[in-house]
Amino acid sequence: MAATFRRRLQRGAASTAVAALVLAALTASQAPGATGAAAAKRRPAPPPADVPIDGGSAYYTDLPPLKSPVPPHGSPQTGKGPATGRGPAEAGLPATVLAAYKKAASEIDASDPGCRLPWQLLAGIGKVESGQARGGAVDAEGTTLRPILGPQLNGHGFARITDTDAGRYDGDLTHDRAVGPMQFIPSTWSNGGPDGTGWGADGNGDGKKDPHNVFDAALAAGGYLCAGDRDLTAQDDLDRAILGYNHSDEYLRTVLSWYAFYRNGTYEVPDGKGVLPVHRDAGRSGDDNGGRSEGKRHHGRGPGAKPGKSPRPGGSGKPGKGQQHHPGKPGRPDGTRPTPGGTEPPTQKPTPTPTPTPTPEPAHRTTLVRVGDKDLTATAGSEFATPPQVRAQDAQGKAVAGVPVRFTLPPTTDARFPGDATTVTVTTDKDGLATAPTLRAGDRTGDFRIRVSTVRHTAPAVEVGATVKAKPAPKADKLARTSDKELTATAGKAFAEDAVEIKATYQGELAAGVAVTATMVTNDPQRPVENDKGPYFKDPEATGHDGDKPVRTLTGLTTDANGLLKLPKIYTDAHSGTFLLRLTTADGAVLTVKLKVAAPAGS
């Protein structure tokens, strides 16, 4: 296992208080542990601590303000309140990132209820790892607008991990880098899981596992945090889970601080409007390339800043006032006083944090409703006459325009949207309608369900049923030879190659794909049966001596696109005379062909 650079700092009274508060909040709000069948689904043990999820990379060290994010019961003074209440800017979480955390926690709770994973823990890790995907700089699918890459893991202050993904995720062909909103190293994402397949997950149902997508990354992080029968209401399990990300006491304290802060309340802000952290842990200068520093600056110190000073967020890099921090005693990012449990008094009056005006939640959430109550149908290989369609509406049934909607086909069907796509995204029109492009059925028959959801998962998904029916069997009401030439051969010899060619038609039109059966029959006009002597075929699939055995009935013959069929080569035995070849179709078309076999000369 690769060694990792571990920062060991003494835990102060502040970290002890934070841990106690977090454990108390969890214990009070969570249900008893899972038992029986649910417990059996618990995830296997995580990897050893010397291979952290983010490779021991640099992380953001900004701490949350002490101010409660949300006033209690709407009071402007104290306590907790609804998630949409007003609060400091740091309590605002970008909409898509917030949706990803909640969706991941919900899925983990369904598969592993004994873990009791709160989404606020994912938010705490997302804050220190990537600043909530750079303040929510993601597209409508949840993928970061620019790659978020950690420092090169070359062993200089970090773990040493040579390239494991051929640059697929991190663009680095020599060493790995932590990637994406939750900063997974490629080797852990792809093949570092307990079963050798990696911790990567598909959180948005698009059929891909992309560490640069916040839905995928959040679900993968949740899976790792819950590994090994962890119960995150137990402080030891919670600590081990966080330290598995980055084995540092300071990292643990920082994540726990944000976790406790987010549990006191958050509100939603538009994507791209989240507060960007600025402080990173100690080290040397380097290439950031996407929101994390190659350098590892000590808690609260920026490049060029004097010891104990920090650049102002969004400022020019000049030291800010009152932003002094002490190792082992984490303080507020604005430096006014230590976190709960600390003893140092504030040295200066804090700079007021502007209170943002949160984006109000809509009075009525959007829902998706199927258009039409009948399932879609098509025959194999043809287009569905009606495209999948849903309507976005509010609680009063009014249309909601401009909602990105994703249509996803299941892996059980080979039906496809244009461009051989299995997922498409469209936006609702002024009438609230989202209509998928034309859907073409494949060759696979049967029923399947098309999943329809909003891209940001703000509304429950709906399903549209579809059925692919088998093509009706091609019909032929007439068979005829394409030549009137007499068919002759000498006993013991074979007829000419492709001696018999027929044409199938249905109502005067050429009939392609018609199944034809060819049988050598007796001359009994009343009840012809398979002959046991005279002309015969050979089994094209038989080998050795079996390949010479006479076959007097052939099935599975099919007319080509032009309605034509050339019969395989016809052989003869020692019998001479006139024999009959009978060709039939399932629709009752019949053609009888005479085969004349002459005795050998001088017999």
Side-chain angles (χ1 to χ4, degrees), residues 483-575:
S483 170
D484 56 3
K485 184 179 178 181
E486 187 178 62
L487 299 171
T488 62
T490 301
K493 304 290 185 180
F495 285 83
E497 291 280 354
D498 303 329
V500 182
E501 182 181 58
I502 64 171
K503 175 176 64 175
T505 56
Y506 181 70
Q507 297 180 351
E509 299 292 332
L510 294 172
V514 176
V516 178
T517 299
T519 306
M520 301 295 179
V521 297
T522 61
N523 287 325
D524 185 351
Q526 299 301 320
R527 191 170 178 271
V529 295
E530 183 180 278
N531 210 336
D532 60 356
K533 56 181 176 291
Y536 63 90
F537 302 103
K538 290 183 179 181
D539 187 348
E541 297 181 358
T543 59
H545 293 297
D546 290 339
D548 293 327
K549 289 183 178 179
V551 174
R552 290 190 167 88
T553 297
L554 282 183
T555 59
L557 303 172
T558 307
T559 59
D560 64 16
N562 297 315
L564 301 177
L565 170 63
K566 291 183 180 181
L567 267 63
K569 192 173 182 179
I570 301 174
Y571 300 86
T572 67
D573 57 15
H575 297 85

Side-chain angles (χ1 to χ4, degrees), residues 232-497:
L232 297 182
T233 62
Q235 190 64 48
D236 286 346
D237 280 359
L238 179 65
D239 287 354
R240 278 194 294 267
I242 297 172
L243 289 171
Y245 238 99
N246 192 313
H247 205 94
S248 158
D249 289 346
E250 184 182 8
Y251 179 89
L252 174 65
R253 287 195 297 272
T254 306
V255 170
L256 287 174
S257 296
W258 282 107
Y259 174 33
F261 177 76
Y262 289 138
R263 287 188 65 85
N264 281 331
T266 60
Y267 58 89
E268 182 180 297
V269 299
D271 288 342
K273 300 298 183 181
V275 175
L276 292 174
V278 294
H279 307 132
R280 301 182 182 91
D281 55 336
R284 58 212 144 267
S285 62
D287 175 23
D288 179 284
N289 195 16
R292 291 176 62 100
S293 173
E294 179 94 356
K296 300 175 64 114
R297 294 175 284 281
H298 182 63
H299 186 77
R301 296 182 187 177
K306 297 178 181 179
K309 301 290 183 180
S310 301
R312 300 172 187 236
S316 61
K318 296 178 181 180
K321 294 181 179 181
Q323 297 190 14
Q324 186 171 0
H325 294 281
H326 301 276
K329 297 181 179 180
R332 292 180 54 176
D334 60 9
T336 56
R337 61 188 178 201
T339 52
T343 57
E344 295 185 16
T347 56
Q348 291 188 356
K349 183 178 181 180
T351 302
T353 302
T355 300
T357 301
T359 302
E361 287 199 7
H364 306 287
R365 288 193 176 277
T366 300
T367 58
L368 297 179
V369 180
R370 280 188 55 178
V371 175
D373 57 357
K374 293 184 179 180
D375 286 352
L376 311 179
T377 59
T379 56
S382 67
E383 294 180 351
F384 284 83
T386 303
Q389 188 179 57
V390 297
R391 184 175 187 266
Q393 61 185 40
D394 60 20
Q396 281 72 43
K398 295 182 180 179
V400 180
V403 178
V405 174
R406 179 186 292 117
F407 295 81
T408 304
L409 299 174
T412 55
T413 181
D414 57 355
R416 292 293 183 266
F417 293 113
D420 203 34
T422 57
T423 62
V424 293
T425 300
V426 297
T427 303
T428 56
D429 60 18
K430 60 183 180 62
D431 298 317
L433 295 176
T435 305
T438 302
L439 178 63
R440 174 174 286 277
D443 295 328
R444 193 178 303 171
T445 59
D447 300 331
F448 64 93
R449 313 290 292 179
I450 305 168
R451 187 174 187 274
V452 190
S453 61
T454 55
V455 168
R456 294 183 180 176
H457 305 275
T458 54
V462 298
E463 291 186 338
V464 177
T467 301
V468 177
K469 298 179 178 180
K471 290 181 181 179
K475 295 182 178 181
D477 55 14
K478 184 178 180 180
L479 296 176
R481 284 186 63 195
T482 59
S483 170
D484 56 3
K485 184 179 178 181
E486 187 178 62
L487 299 171
T488 62
T490 301
K493 304 290 185 180
F495 285 83
E497 291 280 354

